[in-house]
Amino acid sequence: MTFTPLSTTFPAPRRHTEDRWFRVHRAGARPTRRLVCFPHAGGTAQLFHGWPAHLPHDVELLAVRYPGRQDRLAEPCVEDMTELADAVTDALAGHLDLPLALFGHSMGSAVAYEVARRLEARGAGPRRLLVSGRAAPHRAVPAGVPADDDTALIATVRGLGDFQSEVYDIPELRELLLPALRGDYRLIESYRPDRPVPLRAPITAYTGRDDTTCPEDGVRAWAELTAPGGFDLRSFPGDHFYLVPHEAPLVADLADRLR
């Protein structure tokens, strides 16, 4: 696939856009490729802090920093998919001089797909979309959890796996983290595209074999959103957060697909 910069179709990036939207990890002085990573609902860019150690030195990793958490804690959470995908796409304007691939986990898969769709519409689509722990947009089943029911939200998060769920046992941390979790669930629960637009980019899907929240048939439906022969699926042992204990082999597999 030919890569075309967007200098003529994107607005000039605002100053400090990079600081706000991306945590940039660069192992080498001159990267030749970029991997943009989108966290799950309630998640942060910290999910990807160990990934650069497993990537080739010429791959620069941009971990997306959603508003309403960590050093963007004072900013309101974005609760609408269109608003969030538009903002991230615009923020990528200063990072289109190299080929991109997009990776998203859980809610991040849906956001990454929407950003990929916008990039393709503007002439600079990613080389590949990599999705994890989520059914295709038209097959995803809403969790059915009211975003204002904190007890139900926390129970839902605990049901996904043990990854960092213990933070909700600490009252001070729970109050700090719940606004982002509520906002993300409002966003993803209201995201219901009946006819999502297929991408020109190939799609690779990853899933945990014990992830009961993400049936394999729903994951395989991502094949309907790329060209025939452009989809493949890889599974790992584990639950919804399989990518934490299997970080090294997952990132190695991703790196092979970035070539």
Side-chain angles (χ1 to χ4, degrees):
M1 180 179 294
T2 302
F3 176 78
T4 306
L6 284 186
S7 58
T8 60
T9 55
F10 266 106
R14 299 174 182 172
R15 295 183 64 183
H16 73 269
T17 292
E18 176 180 293
D19 293 341
R20 293 176 61 228
W21 282 102
F22 306 112
R23 182 170 296 165
V24 180
H25 300 275
R26 179 181 298 170
R30 294 186 178 181
T32 63
R33 297 162 289 170
R34 289 196 175 97
L35 175 63
V36 185
C37 296
F38 297 75
H40 53 284
T44 70
Q46 188 68 16
L47 178 69
F48 307 106
H49 78 283
W51 284 34
H54 307 296
L55 286 170
H57 287 290
D58 65 334
V59 176
E60 181 179 85
L61 187 148
L62 274 59
V64 177
R65 302 159 72 184
Y66 301 139
R69 63 213 77 194
Q70 292 191 317
D71 43 8
R72 299 189 70 181
L73 189 63
E75 300 178 45
C77 298
V78 178
E79 300 181 359
D80 175 77
M81 178 64 84
T82 297
E83 181 182 350
L84 181 60
D86 284 350
V88 177
T89 304
D90 287 343
L92 282 171
H95 300 278
L96 297 172
D97 56 319
L98 297 176
L100 294 178
L102 309 183
F103 173 90
H105 179 62
S106 197
M107 180 191 83
S109 294
V111 184
Y113 160 74
E114 286 293 335
V115 172
R117 187 170 68 82
R118 285 160 172 76
L119 288 172
E120 287 195 346
R122 300 185 187 191
R127 293 288 183 89
R128 183 176 292 270
L129 174 65
L130 306 126
V131 295
S132 166
R134 186 163 181 83
H138 56 301
R139 294 289 297 278
V141 178
V145 182
D148 56 354
D149 186 338
D150 292 344
T151 300
L153 273 178
I154 293 172
T156 299
V157 170
R158 292 189 193 282
L160 296 174
D162 293 330
F163 178 63
Q164 296 185 342
S165 62
E166 69 278 1
V167 298
Y168 295 104
D169 296 328
I170 305 170
E172 294 82 1
L173 288 178
R174 183 171 61 242
E175 294 309 309
L176 197 65
L177 299 173
L178 273 173
L181 188 64
R182 293 186 199 110
D184 287 353
Y185 266 83
R186 289 190 182 102
L187 182 151
I188 199 61
E189 291 285 274
S190 63
Y191 175 64
R192 310 273 184 85
D194 293 331
R195 297 180 180 178
V197 178
L199 300 176
R200 293 188 293 276
I203 298 176
T204 298
Y206 298 93
T207 185
R209 293 173 196 150
D210 302 318
D211 186 359
T212 58
T213 68
C214 193
E216 187 174 309
D217 61 342
V219 178
R220 287 191 178 279
W222 283 101
E224 301 168 23
L225 300 183
T226 187
F231 172 79
D232 60 337
L233 172 66
R234 176 80 192 275
S235 64
F236 287 86
D239 59 24
H240 191 67
F241 289 106
Y242 74 90
L243 73 172
V244 177
H246 298 288
E247 178 178 278
L250 170 64
V251 178
D253 190 87
L254 289 171
D256 285 343
R257 299 170 194 277
L258 299 179
R259 293 175 181 171

